[in-house]
Amino acid sequence: MRFVVAGAVAGAALRTPAARVGFALLPVLSVGLLCPVPSLVMALRRRSRADWSAFAAFSVVLAAWLTELALTPIDTHGALFALDALLIASSTAGAATHAWRTWPRRPATGR
């Protein structure tokens, strides 16, 4: 008789390609507003210092972007516009790339 723990089933479900694609698309579809979420899920699951550092980094980028968004006038040009574009790009593309590259994959089955 085999017993399956609910956490093991949930862990296996998060290793599917659909979960990996979903967590990689989350920052893109939210235009960077949910950029720390994939890193938070990985940090809560793995409990490693590197994952918590990635979560903290994306949280800082999000906080900087929201602060810059609140303080920047609507008709921005030059360096302020470049800073806004850099913060949006790093919160969107950076978080999506991080989620895609570090998300746990389903272990290969030996044949």
Side-chain angles (χ1 to χ4, degrees):
M1 181 179 262
R2 188 175 137 188
F3 294 101
V4 178
V5 179
V9 173
L14 286 176
R15 287 190 185 98
T16 62
R20 186 175 180 210
V21 168
F23 274 101
L25 283 177
L26 187 65
V28 175
L29 295 177
S30 69
V31 194
L33 290 174
L34 297 176
C35 67
V37 172
S39 299
L40 174 63
V41 172
M42 282 188 273
L44 289 172
R45 293 196 50 179
R46 295 182 188 170
R47 300 180 194 274
S48 74
R49 187 177 304 234
D51 292 326
W52 284 110
S53 297
F55 169 67
F58 286 119
S59 296
V60 166
V61 168
L62 179 63
W65 180 48
L66 292 176
T67 303
E68 183 69 22
L69 183 67
L71 298 177
T72 303
I74 294 174
D75 56 347
T76 302
H77 301 290
L80 282 176
F81 178 76
L83 180 61
D84 283 343
L86 176 69
L87 289 171
I88 290 171
S90 62
S91 68
T92 303
T97 304
H98 175 260
W100 180 258
R101 305 261 313 150
T102 61
W103 194 259
R105 296 186 179 118
R106 181 173 284 182
T109 57
R111 291 185 178 195

